[in-house]
Amino acid sequence: MRLLLLFLSFSCFFVLTEQLARFDGDRVFRIFPEETHDLRLLKELRELQFDFWTETIISTKPLDIRVPSALIPTFIATIKKFNVKFEVMIDNVQHLVEEQKKQHAPLNELPSLLDEAFYSSYHTYDEVVSWLQQLVAANPNLTELINVGKSYEGRIQWAVKVSTSQANKTALWFDGGLHAREWISTGAVIYMLGHIVSDHASDPDVQALLAEFDVLRDAGIKP
């Protein structure tokens, strides 16, 4: 169930406005199309602008769809009209959001910068930037914080370079948060960066990587 929360319809990984969207009473349904004619159902559901959590061009693949509370009767009536099986995957989306907030690990409350708890929950743009800045400040001989530009909305795109020498080496580039709903990709980049920094002195695989490459990681390419 927690994995389903990753696909909530946030516009991107970062909080873009002070007023967060709420999903009180919204449900996530899983529908099970069985026949090719059910493409007509998918077309009708898209015209009603429901929030598809599963994208597919195969009409018989199960689909997960978030339905705003006010449109639940319309959604169910539409599904029944086409005689398609369905089940409720999440009864109240906002409840899961609140549960995720309880698991949030603020940076200033962690026992250490590289504590595993930081990787387990969603973080805002400001929290990620603060983490990157502190990571580089604590490892000045290994890391460098680089301003690679600004997003369409004017936020700085920060990348961290990890290098063990001044030699001119091939660079590997990793980024996350390129598309909407990709907060998990940003979290993955942060996780990899944290472990490269924390394990570079003890992990032979990390040492071999850094011996041959410089590593650049941009945790949020489109903040």
Side-chain angles (χ1 to χ4, degrees), residues 8-10 21-26 66 92-95 97:
L8 280 174
S9 59
F10 298 115
R22 293 189 61 86
F23 306 92
D24 298 281
D26 291 10
R66 181 182 65 84
N92 189 330
V93 173
Q94 186 61 35
H95 175 72
V97 174

Side-chain angles (χ1 to χ4, degrees), residues 49-183:
Q49 299 184 340
F50 292 120
D51 182 16
F52 279 69
W53 283 15
T54 306
E55 295 294 337
T56 182
I57 59 174
I58 303 174
S59 62
T60 56
K61 180 180 178 180
L63 297 174
D64 297 338
I65 304 173
R66 181 182 65 84
V67 180
S69 57
L71 296 178
I72 289 175
T74 299
F75 177 84
I76 293 177
T78 303
I79 295 296
K80 289 183 175 180
K81 181 175 69 174
F82 285 87
N83 197 30
V84 172
K85 296 178 181 179
F86 68 93
E87 62 184 36
V88 177
M89 297 295 295
I90 301 176
D91 188 60
N92 189 330
V93 173
Q94 186 61 35
H95 175 72
L96 283 187
V97 174
E98 298 301 331
E99 289 298 312
Q100 171 71 10
K101 288 179 180 178
K102 293 177 183 179
Q103 301 170 19
H104 182 259
L107 186 57
N108 61 357
E109 296 180 9
L110 295 178
S112 69
L113 185 64
L114 296 174
D115 189 88
E116 292 288 326
F118 185 75
Y119 309 128
S120 66
S121 60
Y122 166 87
H123 294 283
T124 66
Y125 169 76
D126 290 338
E127 287 178 312
V128 172
V129 171
S130 177
W131 185 83
L132 295 176
Q133 291 172 335
Q134 293 182 53
L135 181 72
V136 171
N139 301 273
N141 296 323
L142 180 66
T143 60
E144 178 185 357
L145 190 63
I146 303 173
N147 180 343
V148 297
K150 288 187 176 182
S151 68
Y152 177 80
E153 296 186 344
R155 295 174 183 83
I156 296 177
Q157 298 164 304
W158 293 107
V160 172
K161 178 181 178 181
V162 183
S163 180
T164 55
S165 71
Q166 298 298 319
N168 186 19
K169 294 184 289 186
T170 300
L172 297 178
W173 174 271
F174 299 87
D175 58 54
L178 179 62
H179 301 112
R181 308 186 191 203
E182 276 190 0
W183 85 256

Side-chain angles (χ1 to χ4, degrees), residues 171-200:
L172 297 178
W173 174 271
F174 299 87
D175 58 54
L178 179 62
H179 301 112
R181 308 186 191 203
E182 276 190 0
W183 85 256
I184 192 61
S185 69
T186 303
V189 171
I190 290 173
Y191 178 84
M192 290 187 290
L193 176 60
H195 278 277
I196 286 178
V197 171
S198 64
D199 300 342
H200 77 280

